Amino acid sequence: TVLYVFVFDLFLLWQLGIGGHPNDILPLTLTSATQELFGCRCDEDVTGDNPYKILRKEDIVQDMRMRAAVSDFSPMKQLVLDYPEDELLLVYDRDFIYGSSFYLVLTADAKERHLKPVVALGVEVALEREPSEVFAAQKTSEPQPWISLGSEQEIEEESVTDSRPRYRISRVRREFGSPIFFSDRNAMETKDGFIECTPYQDKNFSLKQMERHTGVQTIPNLKSSSTQTQWTYPRSMCTQYEPREFSEEKKENCLQSEKLKNFVNSVASRFEMAIQQNEIMDVFFDDWKALSEEDSGYGRKADPHLKEYQSFTDLHFSKEKTISNINWHPTINGVIAVAVTERLSFEDRINGSTKLLLNPSLILFWSFSDPINPQLLLECPDDVFSFEFCPSDPNIIVGGCMNGQVVLWDISTHVEQLQGTRTSDKRENETPVVRYCAVSGIENGHKAPITDIQWLPGTFEVSRMGVPMENKNGICVQIVTCAPDCCVMFWDIRAPRVLQTMADQRKQKVEEKPLENPHGVPNTFKHLDLTWKPLIRVQHISYCQTQLQRVLSTTFCPQDGELVYTDWKLEKDNDSGRLFSAKPSHRFIIHDGQVNTVRRSPFFKDIILTVGGWTFAIWKEGVTNGPIIQSSCSQKKCTVGYWSQSRPAVLFIGKEDGNIDVWDLLEKTHEPSQTQNITATQITCIKPWIVSSKQHLLAVSDHLGTLHILEIPWTLRSPSSNEKLSMSKYFEKEVDRLVYFEKRREMRAKEKKDYEAEELRKKMVRYSI
């Protein structure tokens, strides 16, 4: 037994280390956000009985790349990269043996030693050996020199020392044990015969306790109750009345009567007091409602507010510019692209055209790993109002310019730059500039700024007659654009067959001769440069100023609050044989200003959100009576809108005063669930992005050229169990309401027409008599 205890003590000393902690571990402190991200929350995911957590090396490297210096693993970046295996061991140090709540195992041998029981490593081996062998196997740690960091002074100041004076009383030895005799003596006759004890105020009894630590725990009282109400079908009720007034004589008699004077004199003092109370406080203030708002406010456990995650701005490239469009990179996490345009009016653009030519328009690529410098710059022939990544090949980007041209870029050679894996060189501080591969001719494009551009899905393509056909290759090859020139155009990025044959023949002749490319522009779309023409031109569409919808045969185009539903399929004139665009099938005037957003719900393909003026509306495709939901007019203009990507009932509305209204249709339909200020100027774009199930981000840009990245809270990203079903039933109920009111309107119109006809018949009968 003695040998067992001795060997176990030696093993613990070897584990703890004489100089602090062993060399094969590293203590570290993890924030609550990191614990939740890696699933190692204290006393929940890891406990004292189960303190081990296996972390993937790839996840730790991705966290350091995404959050950079904010990551808790950034101080040990090189140690993590040098670790030979793919999984690291994280140990929960509940008793703070090494000074922190966690420590990371840095070697594979230490990882194996931690995961095996202590008895198997030390005690059983020791019992099988002789005592001399055990002592020889243990390595004596050498004491390290003590380095003073000032802690001994703090310990000395906090130590309790005896500072009271000491008195010594002596007596002659020969008088020890002798009898003691007491007698009376006059104190005034002897010098120092008495000591006067005068009263004084002792400060030790007047100390005030300024701070005290105490713990309070409250337990909510739970009460279960239920009620049942009988629902009745709503009925329309009406009341008709006719006003009655006193004559002038009665009014005069009432005002001069003694009864009225006595009444005024009796209530004058109470009326005056009530007016004073109304001036002092608001008697109509709802304290219960304010109490509930205070409980759900910022900083509580269920905080519903958007939190600032990161922001991007550049003093050179985005100075005095606004952000016209933003897009997250489809495959590289933490990378987002923004298009910046000049904040100039039409007249200012004309006057400063020479200056604008010297400063080309750009699309900036930002990365979370470097919030100061953009990672990539796309050079544009003019300001870009809309751009999109190709769904089948994210390295291909298409954009629509202010002058009506369509531009194509190929960033294949800069993927490593965006991923952060490119090796450093002498020009690592310079941001690469990518020139466009191809641009359409001005004479073949739109005659107005392109306000939106979209890739057609890779599953189908459109023929020259506007008929959708199957795309067997599964690669996106066609683009659709819209502009305020009353046109919607379809573009094909493939080379025509005649040009393709000529290009192949030319390639065979000059196969050995290298191509001259001084700007390093890829030859991906060289066959389209300055010769690109639209495949289909759908004309006679109303003023298009917002997004196109990815549907097979329809598109929505607004004009000063007007919404148009049309078919892009071309029709043939029987007389001339020419192709022409069909007339719009439906038109609605709902918004009180220019429509800036038309966007389908990601959960319901027939539900569409439109934003314009001071209102927004929700439409259901196939319902021609009007919008199923329409908001009331807000105090500020609505500049942009977007659906939530995880909750069917939530949508975000940006305002011109820099606020974002968050609408939860399951909670409120007459007002936003919350309003939060993001910036001091107009919000121009909103784009959500799902990083993981535990992190949803919302990109918001403003008129001053700043990009804000907000983190969506749990309450706005986690749907309820039946949220989609509840929203589907709610939309169906609103459709039934529209149909009911439409029938009532038709019935009232018919009754009015019959009444007027009957009155006209009676009038004719009277005249005939």
Side-chain angles (χ1 to χ4, degrees), residues 640-652:
V640 67
Y642 216 102
W643 291 97
S644 170
Q645 301 298 296
S646 57
R647 288 197 55 188
V650 174
L651 53 95
F652 305 97

Side-chain angles (χ1 to χ4, degrees), residues 663-678:
W663 288 77
D664 189 345
L665 300 180
L666 290 181
E667 180 182 353
K668 298 178 182 179
T669 57
H670 65 285
E671 63 179 2
S673 301
Q674 68 180 65
T675 300
Q676 185 172 344
N677 182 262
I678 305 300

Side-chain angles (χ1 to χ4, degrees), residues 132-181:
S132 59
E133 297 180 359
V134 174
F135 295 130
Q138 302 297 332
K139 181 179 179 182
T140 304
S141 301
E142 298 180 358
Q144 301 292 331
W146 182 72
I147 300 175
S148 175
L149 299 178
S151 58
E152 69 278 1
Q153 182 179 359
E154 183 178 355
I155 295 175
E156 184 178 353
E157 293 176 355
E158 296 294 335
S159 301
V160 179
T161 58
D162 188 6
S163 60
R164 302 175 63 181
R166 298 178 180 272
Y167 299 94
R168 181 178 181 183
I169 302 175
S170 62
R171 191 178 186 185
V172 182
R173 184 178 181 83
R174 64 174 176 271
E175 296 181 359
F176 283 3
S178 61
I180 299 175
F181 299 97

Side-chain angles (χ1 to χ4, degrees), residues 550-566:
R550 297 180 181 177
V551 291
L552 294 180
S553 60
T554 55
T555 179
F556 284 86
C557 307
Q559 175 186 11
D560 295 337
E562 181 182 10
L563 200 68
V564 179
Y565 189 85
T566 186

